[in-house]
Amino acid sequence: MFSLFVFSVYLLIVISLLWGRLRFFKVNAGTPTLAAWMYDLAVAVQMILTAYYFFSVTDVTKLMLGICLLLYLFSLVLFWWAIFTAKSLDFAFSNHVGSIVTTGPFGLFRHPFYVSYIVAWSGSTLLFNTPLLWITLIYLVAFYTLSARKEERLILKSTQAEQYQHYQQHVGMFLPRIKKWKQLNSKH
């Protein structure tokens, strides 16, 4: 029963991510088609294998299911918090610089969507611990890292470079800088 509940939360993540990919994120002409297809393939492998393992792997402990559930819930909450904070964003590898969002989850992580995805895929990978899930997780983390760096290089070449440099100094890419965040928020 607990496993079914964790799987239900996982399904909410899958539906949310698919909705975001199709409805929220803009795919600009600057997005290399091969990169987008490789990303989609890796995500599909993660999604399909995880769903398959939920129904075929029987030796998962309640502790691991509980840890995975916490990771899934964090991922889901972070994803939707970022959706409601940002109005729309460009898909990874875009050549377009939109507005800089620094509130909500963007005040904790410069790339909360990527953090959300990494946490969800990590939950599945840790829970089922299979080579193919590890390979896709490593690929996806590399993809998110490269995407984040490219996005930031574009912003640093734009008219918003100074504002973004200040933001970079206070907010971590994928991990929060708690001390800097506390200092920044205590001044307000």
Side-chain angles (χ1 to χ4, degrees):
M1 190 67 177
F2 186 51
S3 178
L4 188 57
F5 178 71
V6 176
F7 179 72
S8 298
V9 174
Y10 172 73
L11 277 181
L12 287 174
I13 291 171
V14 169
I15 291 166
S16 297
L17 298 182
L18 290 173
W19 174 87
R21 176 73 166 86
L22 299 172
R23 297 289 182 143
F24 182 77
F25 295 103
K26 300 176 208 161
V27 179
N28 277 326
T31 304
T33 306
L34 181 61
W37 280 104
M38 290 293 293
Y39 169 77
D40 289 341
L41 177 62
V43 169
V45 167
Q46 271 281 340
M47 288 178 176
I48 292 166
L49 282 180
T50 298
Y52 171 75
Y53 292 143
F54 262 107
F55 293 101
S56 66
V57 175
T58 57
D59 61 347
V60 176
T61 66
K62 287 198 186 285
L63 175 63
M64 284 307 295
L65 272 172
I67 292 168
C68 185
L69 176 62
L70 290 175
L71 292 172
Y72 284 171
L73 289 172
F74 177 77
S75 172
L76 194 60
V77 167
L78 183 60
F79 177 84
W80 283 105
W81 187 21
I83 288 284
F84 288 116
T85 302
K87 301 305 176 214
S88 71
L89 294 173
D90 293 311
F91 183 66
F93 287 124
S94 170
N95 289 323
H96 177 261
V97 175
S99 61
I100 298 172
V101 181
T102 60
T103 60
F106 296 89
L108 295 172
F109 315 101
R110 293 196 307 268
H111 301 276
F113 287 107
Y114 295 153
V115 172
S116 172
Y117 306 154
I118 290 168
V119 169
W121 308 143
S122 296
S124 296
T125 302
L126 291 171
L127 182 62
F128 297 114
N129 196 24
T130 65
L132 198 48
L133 286 177
W134 280 105
I135 290 167
T136 56
L137 175 65
I138 291 165
Y139 171 81
L140 290 168
V141 170
F143 180 89
Y144 299 138
T145 302
L146 291 172
S147 296
R149 288 183 179 157
K150 182 178 186 280
E151 292 164 12
E152 291 189 347
R153 280 193 306 272
L154 285 170
I155 295 169
L156 292 171
K157 291 178 184 177
S158 75
T159 57
Q160 300 168 0
E162 188 176 327
Q163 177 190 1
Y164 199 77
Q165 285 174 331
H166 178 72
Y167 177 56
Q168 282 180 310
Q169 292 169 356
H170 295 282
V171 179
M173 183 181 282
F174 297 138
L175 297 172
R177 294 184 184 158
I178 301 298
K179 191 173 182 180
K180 294 258 187 188
W181 182 75
K182 283 182 179 178
Q183 289 172 348
L184 186 65
N185 286 319
S186 68
K187 292 177 184 176
H188 290 82

